Amino acid sequence: MPQHSPDSLADTIAPRILRGERRALARAITLIESGRADHRAQAVALLDRLKDAGRSALRVGLSGTPGVGKSTFIESFGMMLTAQGKRVAVLAVDPSSARSGGSILGDKTRMERLSRDPNAFIRPSPSQTQLGGVARRTREAVMLCEAAGFDLVLIETVGVGQSETVVAEMSDLFLLLMAPAGGDELQGVKRGIMEIADMIVVNKADGALKSTATRTCADYAGALRLLRKRPQDPDEFPKAIMVSAVEEMGLQAAWDDMQLLAEWRRASGHWATRRAAQAQYWFEEEVRQGLLARLTTDPVARARLAELGAQVAKGKALPGVAADEMLNWLAR
């Protein structure tokens, strides 16, 4: 990427993003994902330029274990909405290798029809070992998609057992996609992810699995009724529903439920309150990440960390005591 001053690049790309140009949007997301200091300055300037665009999309987080059919569901769901004139952006986070940092980034391959739709935008990003399976800059990518005029932004998380609560801090609705399974399957679902889910979507409710899906959906509906009532939910939410992404069954009903919940939260004030809380959360997260970055980029801090780490490894200092010393050193 050629060198630009932060303002000049923002002046060039921002109008193109506001016009909904997908090529400019893709370039901007590449910019915000970069770890280079000069790219970061350009990204901050660009986001600042776009923050007053006054555009907002419905942000939907989607999680589920591998093989549950997330990509198939997203493609069928997205194609249904684009046929209705909606613009749909998909930010799909692929697992990164903890050893090499590499990622397959195969979502465009799995969603071939949707990737060719002019009203859709699919951006696979590596999770970069981030907790929750959400790339660190995904929230900023959501903001870019909103500025580009998309009506719905789907955030697909890795779903490999990490804490998926991170996606709830950047979405308006959170969907948990499940597959039909036996009665013991409910025991394997963590209570924490059940508590943040707004809808549990049982996929693959077709063919020989339809009756199993019906029982599974009833089991989850029963489990949701046992959870404590949340103030951000109207009656009947959170809820469990059945869909078949392959047969495109239940997708419109799922969309109707999402809109119903979103409109109720807007009218009741929970929408604005939640978005304000999310903004504060990400401010604090940026501070935390900045402090961690200092430990790895500042040579003096890195040397002090290595020195104290060596003392802990040799048994000359307790981990907690050494950590306190490191924090006190940083605070000086």
Side-chain angles (χ1 to χ4, degrees):
M1 185 176 293
Q3 294 294 322
H4 295 274
S5 71
D7 287 336
S8 68
L9 188 67
D11 290 339
T12 301
I13 297 184
R16 297 176 57 199
I17 291 175
L18 292 172
R19 290 196 297 268
E21 294 184 23
R22 294 196 296 180
R23 188 181 297 273
L25 177 58
R27 183 185 177 193
I29 293 177
T30 298
L31 183 69
I32 65 172
E33 289 177 346
S34 173
R36 282 175 42 175
D38 58 331
H39 287 175
R40 187 63 199 150
Q42 293 166 359
V44 169
L46 176 61
L47 291 166
D48 187 62
R49 191 66 52 87
L50 295 171
K51 74 179 189 312
D52 297 324
R55 295 175 179 176
S56 182
L58 179 62
R59 308 169 183 173
V60 178
L62 179 70
S63 185
T65 55
V68 76
K70 293 192 296 294
S71 296
T72 306
F73 171 81
I74 290 172
E75 180 168 59
S76 296
F77 186 63
M79 293 295 293
M80 178 194 75
L81 293 180
T82 57
Q84 297 174 10
K86 302 290 186 184
R87 298 188 68 212
V88 179
V90 180
L91 302 176
V93 185
D94 269 10
S96 293
S97 167
R99 179 173 299 178
S100 67
S103 183
I104 297 173
L105 302 177
D107 287 275
K108 282 197 172 183
T109 303
R110 293 194 296 268
M111 303 183 219
E112 188 177 353
R113 286 189 303 145
L114 189 61
S115 66
R116 294 197 303 264
D117 193 309
N119 284 329
F121 174 82
I122 300 176
R123 174 66 182 219
S125 299
S127 64
Q128 301 170 344
T129 70
Q130 291 293 304
L131 180 65
V134 182
R136 181 180 171 191
R137 298 299 175 192
T138 300
R139 181 177 182 272
E140 293 177 347
V142 171
M143 296 168 61
L144 291 173
C145 291
E146 288 186 322
F150 285 91
D151 302 298
L152 175 73
V153 181
L154 277 165
I155 311 159
E156 178 195 357
T157 68
V158 175
V160 290
Q162 297 147 305
S163 173
E164 299 294 325
T165 56
V166 177
V167 74
E169 295 296 342
M170 65 176 72
S171 57
D172 302 311
L173 307 178
F174 180 73
L175 273 57
L176 179 59
L177 206 62
M178 302 299 295
D184 291 338
E185 178 70 12
L186 190 58
Q187 302 297 323
V189 179
K190 296 180 181 178
R191 181 183 175 91
I193 199 169
M194 291 276 286
E195 288 177 334
I196 64 172
D198 295 307
M199 292 171 58
I200 293 179
V201 181
V202 181
N203 192 23
K204 303 183 179 181
D206 48 60
L209 289 175
K210 189 165 186 177
S211 60
T212 306
T214 302
R215 291 193 302 271
T216 301
C217 186
D219 288 342
Y220 286 127
L224 290 172
R225 284 193 292 270
L226 297 176
L227 298 179
R228 183 182 304 171
K229 180 70 175 175
R230 305 181 307 183
Q232 69 267 33
D233 295 327
D235 292 339
E236 299 184 4
F237 284 90
K239 68 190 306 182
I241 63 171
M242 292 191 307
V243 302
S244 169
V246 173
E247 296 184 353
E248 301 181 359
M249 180 275 295
L251 299 179
Q252 183 61 51
W255 176 235
D256 291 342
D257 283 337
M258 291 181 212
Q259 293 181 95
L260 178 67
L261 180 56
E263 288 303 322
W264 186 89
R265 287 180 175 173
R266 285 192 184 97
S268 63
H270 287 291
W271 183 279
T273 301
R274 181 60 180 155
R275 285 213 170 179
Q278 288 175 347
Q280 182 174 349
Y281 170 90
W282 287 105
F283 156 71
E284 295 174 357
E285 182 64 19
E286 284 296 321
V287 173
R288 284 191 290 267
Q289 294 292 339
L291 290 172
L292 289 173
R294 183 182 170 191
L295 293 176
T296 57
T297 57
D298 186 296
V300 180
R302 193 167 62 242
R304 184 59 176 156
L305 185 67
E307 178 187 345
L308 290 171
Q311 292 180 20
V312 171
K314 293 175 183 177
K316 294 181 178 180
L318 292 172
V321 174
D324 286 341
E325 187 173 343
M326 184 71 205
L327 291 171
N328 289 334
W329 181 87
L330 286 170
R332 289 202 300 268

